[in-house]
Amino acid sequence: MGASKAQRAAAAKKRTQATTLRLAGMDWATIADRVGYASPGAACTAVNEALKANLREQTENVEELRALNVARYDRLQAAFWSLAIQDKDKKAADVVLKCIAGRERLQGLAAPAKVEHSGEITEYRITGLDPEDLV
């Protein structure tokens, strides 16, 4: 049998308190003591679960917003499509092209830009590495 609604609410409140304390810089032992977890590891687990749940929620929100904006581009493109393909309105064609480009960006369909370097590399530096480690 699962936890009751009251138990889930209490656990959520503890996770929120623990996360708030961790964000304030508290160590795990202090968080466990103040919030009432059995151990520092339990406090750490609770905070990590809360952060993962928050990340999942944010990812879902981003996907919903992306889908909404794609639908907006679709609707705007549909409104200007007939004028654009009949060569009656160059501004309508620009709107359609911008809709296509915007949708490509949102959906990750645009091909990456190719970058080329012309010229010579005269000097380079390796930072964060001791040259003696290369030998």
Side-chain angles (χ1 to χ4, degrees):
M1 182 175 220
S4 71
K5 189 174 183 179
Q7 288 170 326
R8 287 192 305 272
K13 183 177 179 181
K14 281 177 70 170
R15 280 192 304 274
T16 300
Q17 290 171 338
T19 302
T20 300
L21 292 173
R22 185 62 180 168
L23 290 173
M26 295 280 180
D27 62 271
W28 297 119
T30 303
I31 294 169
D33 185 51
R34 285 195 183 178
V35 179
Y37 286 104
S39 68
C44 178
T45 299
V47 170
N48 285 335
E49 287 175 1
L51 293 175
K52 286 178 189 174
N54 184 271
L55 184 59
R56 280 191 302 273
E57 183 179 323
Q58 287 180 6
T59 300
E60 290 170 6
N61 290 343
V62 167
E63 291 302 321
E64 289 173 12
L65 184 58
R66 183 176 289 123
L68 176 64
N69 282 326
V70 166
R72 287 175 175 157
Y73 277 127
D74 289 343
R75 189 167 181 191
L76 187 60
Q77 180 178 324
F80 285 88
W81 182 258
S82 62
L83 290 174
I85 63 169
Q86 295 173 12
D87 285 336
K88 291 184 177 181
D89 190 343
K90 289 188 184 240
K91 288 183 180 181
D94 287 341
V95 169
V96 168
L97 290 173
K98 287 178 182 178
C99 289
I100 292 169
R103 208 171 21 252
E104 283 179 345
R105 277 191 314 275
L106 285 174
Q107 296 174 323
L109 300 174
K114 184 176 180 181
V115 178
E116 292 186 22
H117 179 274
S118 61
E120 295 181 23
I121 298 175
T122 57
E123 181 181 324
Y124 64 91
R125 294 183 185 170
I126 300 174
T127 59
L129 179 67
D130 185 355
E132 294 296 319
D133 292 338
L134 298 174
V135 180

